[in-house]
Amino acid sequence: MQFDQAWFSQPGFSWHKAYGLALACELAYEPTETVKETLHRDWRMSGVVFDIGDMEGFVAVGTQAIIVSIRGTQGVRDWINVNLRVPETEFAPIGGAAHRGFVAGWTAISDVVGDAMAEHPTKTVWFTGHSLGAAVAILGAAAAAPIAPDIITFGQPRIFNAAAANHLNATFGARYHRVVHGEDVVARIPRFYHHAGRLFHFPRMQSALAATASATATAGPIEVTASLDGPTPLSQEEEKALEEDMATVPTTGMAATAGLGNKPGIEDHRIGAYVQLMARQIATS
C-alpha cells in the first residue's frame, strides 16, 4: 500500500492515517537524502529535514496537511541504561512536568519545526514519532496546541508526571493516540512516569517483521484495548533486569533496536513491526 497524503486532509483518527504516520516514522530513520527524495518523488510533498544534536526528523508539507515526524534514537541501549531515573522538569505547555531529556530534545528542534509550520498556517498538522521520538513529538504537539494538531505515536515511553498527563488528556482528548505492539518494553518505562492519550494496545503479531503483502491481506482481526495510562509499567525488579540485559548487547545498529536481541519486548518495539501492524489493521477493519 502506497502512502497517500490525501489521508491527512482532514483531522481525526483513521487506520489509514495511522499507517501513513508509521511509514513517516520509518522514513525518519533513513539518511537525509533518502528522506528528501522520498518526500518529493513518492509522497509529492515538500519539507524540511533536520539533524540537530541527537534529534533527527522532518516536517513534510503537502497540499492540505503538515506531518512532523521525529526519529527515535539509534542508541536505545544507552538511553535505557542512562535515562531510567532522569528527573522531571517543568514544561509549561503540558501543564506539569516531563522527563528532562525529552524536554531538552524538543527544545533543540522547536525553532526549525515551528518556523516550518508557521509558513503554512491553514493546513492540518500531524505529529508522530517512534520510540524516543514519540516522546518528543507529543511535547512538540503540546507546544503547538493552539493550532490543534493531531498526534499518533508508536512505542512511546512513559514521560509525564500525573499533572501533565491529566492536562494532556483534557487538552487533546480524541486527538492524541498511542499505538503499542505486544510486549514493547519501551512503552513500559520509566516506571515512575505516566502516559497520556488514548492507547491502542495490540497483542503481539508473531510474524510482524516477516509478513508479506499476501499474509498481511489475509490476516485475522486484531483486538484493540483502549486505556489512558497503559500498558502496565515494569516493576522495579523488571527494570533492574532490563538494565542488566542492556549491558550485554552491542551499541551499534539501525532502526532503534537492531543489536538488542530478539526478546519479545525488544522485537515488538521495532518500527517495521508497527508498519506491518497498521497495514494488517487496515486489511482487517
Side-chain angles (χ1 to χ4, degrees):
M1 186 188 314
Q2 297 295 316
F3 177 93
D4 187 348
Q5 63 168 294
W7 295 334
F8 300 94
S9 61
Q10 298 294 326
F13 179 87
S14 75
W15 292 114
H16 281 88
K17 291 171 182 175
Y19 172 70
L21 293 181
L23 290 176
C25 290
E26 187 174 52
L27 179 61
Y29 285 103
E30 297 293 338
T32 297
E33 290 307 313
T34 301
V35 175
K36 291 179 178 179
E37 183 179 358
T38 300
L39 291 179
H40 176 73
R41 181 195 63 201
D42 300 331
W43 293 14
R44 299 293 191 267
M45 301 176 83
S46 62
V48 176
V49 182
F50 56 83
D51 182 352
I52 303 172
D54 292 331
M55 302 306 304
E56 297 183 33
F58 60 86
V59 182
V61 180
T63 55
Q64 295 176 290
I66 296 172
I67 295 174
V68 181
S69 178
I70 302 174
R71 194 203 74 175
T73 182
Q74 301 281 18
V76 170
R77 190 204 80 159
D78 290 339
W79 182 86
I80 287 173
N81 283 343
V82 173
N83 289 285
L84 286 182
R85 280 169 289 281
V86 166
E88 64 188 37
T89 188
E90 291 293 320
F91 185 60
I94 62 174
H99 184 290
R100 181 173 297 171
F102 297 121
V103 173
W106 168 248
T107 300
I109 63 173
S110 59
D111 286 346
V112 66
V113 173
D115 289 348
M117 292 191 302
E119 294 180 5
H120 308 277
T122 63
K123 299 180 188 293
T124 59
V125 177
W126 292 82
F127 275 81
T128 193
H130 167 248
S131 187
L132 315 179
V136 178
I138 179 54
L139 294 175
I147 63 173
D150 283 71
I151 312 103
I152 303 176
T153 66
F154 304 89
Q156 179 183 320
R158 307 171 67 88
I159 67 166
F160 305 114
N161 71 0
N166 291 334
H167 178 83
L168 288 169
N169 288 331
T171 299
F172 286 102
R175 289 187 287 116
Y176 176 17
H177 295 83
R178 290 182 295 113
V179 180
V180 174
H181 172 222
E183 300 177 41
D184 187 338
V185 71
V186 172
R188 301 179 64 195
I189 58 175
R191 61 184 175 82
F192 50 85
Y193 283 114
H194 296 274
H195 273 306
R198 185 184 182 196
L199 168 67
F200 292 120
H201 190 182
F202 290 84
R204 187 170 197 239
M205 186 166 62
Q206 298 289 345
S207 59
L209 294 179
T212 63
S214 59
T216 298
T218 59
I222 300 174
E223 178 185 358
V224 179
T225 302
S227 175
L228 289 178
D229 198 33
T232 304
L234 296 185
S235 67
Q236 185 174 0
E237 293 74 18
E238 289 172 323
E239 209 172 67
K240 181 178 179 181
L242 175 64
E243 290 180 283
E244 292 173 350
D245 283 347
M246 292 300 97
T248 67
V249 298
T251 59
T252 59
M254 60 186 298
T257 55
L260 295 185
N262 58 3
K263 293 185 177 182
I266 297 297
E267 189 75 9
D268 293 357
H269 182 63
R270 299 177 192 275
I271 186 56
Y274 279 99
V275 172
Q276 293 287 356
L277 187 64
M278 294 301 92
R280 178 174 170 178
Q281 184 63 14
I282 290 172
T284 59
S285 295

